[in-house]
Amino acid sequence: MVDSETIDTKVSDKKEEFNEEQEEMNDTFEEAKDKYEETKEKGKNIADGVINDLYASIDEFKEYIKNMQKNADKKYAEYKKSTVQTIDIDLIETKDTYYIKAAVPGVSKDDVMIEAGDNDVTIEATFKAYIDEFDEEDEAEVIASSIKSGKCVKTVRFENSLDLEKITAKFTNGIVIMTIPKLIIPKHKINVE
């Protein structure tokens, strides 16, 4: 039979072995846990970096779109200033006279020019942009602009010749009213010999 001392030694050895293995497992677990925490932290930092880059990209894109809109508005305003726009008119005809009522709101009398030819009348007006009323130090910028600005021209052609000497034009409250008599050439009877 095996004596009790041998059994105690064997139990003690096995216990020591078990404790050593348990310590190794604890060390391995701690290393794995540390590695996991380190990997988790790296992943979190990478994710944070990606999110920050994404937000920065979105902010840059928003700024790009905003600048693009400003440039488009500026180009459109320049285009409106450089293009000839039309003037709204009413045209009435009677037996001997044409009447024109032209709307030029916000334009002064000095900014309206009228020319008449043999059978046409041209009305030209310069509409000033609202932004022009602000000083440069105000740093004002156009957000929306749909009111007519720039040089506007309207030419009206008539079937009859016009009596240029009798044309009249009156300017009142942004409205030009023109009276344009037709040139009536009397017919002369010619004697045949």
Side-chain angles (χ1 to χ4, degrees), residues 87-92 99-103 123 175-178:
I87 296 172
D88 298 326
I89 67 161
D90 285 345
L91 176 62
I92 307 292
Y99 297 93
I100 292 179
K101 183 178 186 179
I123 304 167
I175 300 290
V176 176
I177 297 181
M178 297 179 65

Side-chain angles (χ1 to χ4, degrees), residues 85-88 102-114 123-130 133 147-153 170-176:
Q85 298 182 41
T86 187
I87 296 172
D88 298 326
V104 287
V107 175
S108 70
K109 179 180 168 182
D110 297 333
D111 290 331
V112 176
M113 187 180 81
I114 301 172
I123 304 167
E124 183 178 306
T126 304
F127 291 85
K128 293 185 173 98
Y130 184 46
E133 295 178 22
I147 297 175
K148 194 182 298 190
S149 66
K151 186 182 282 189
C152 298
V153 176
K170 291 182 182 176
F171 180 88
T172 310
N173 296 329
I175 300 290
V176 176

Side-chain angles (χ1 to χ4, degrees), residues 130-141:
Y130 184 46
I131 189 72
D132 295 341
E133 295 178 22
F134 292 85
D135 293 329
E136 279 188 32
E137 58 266 5
D138 290 336
E139 296 181 16
E141 64 180 67

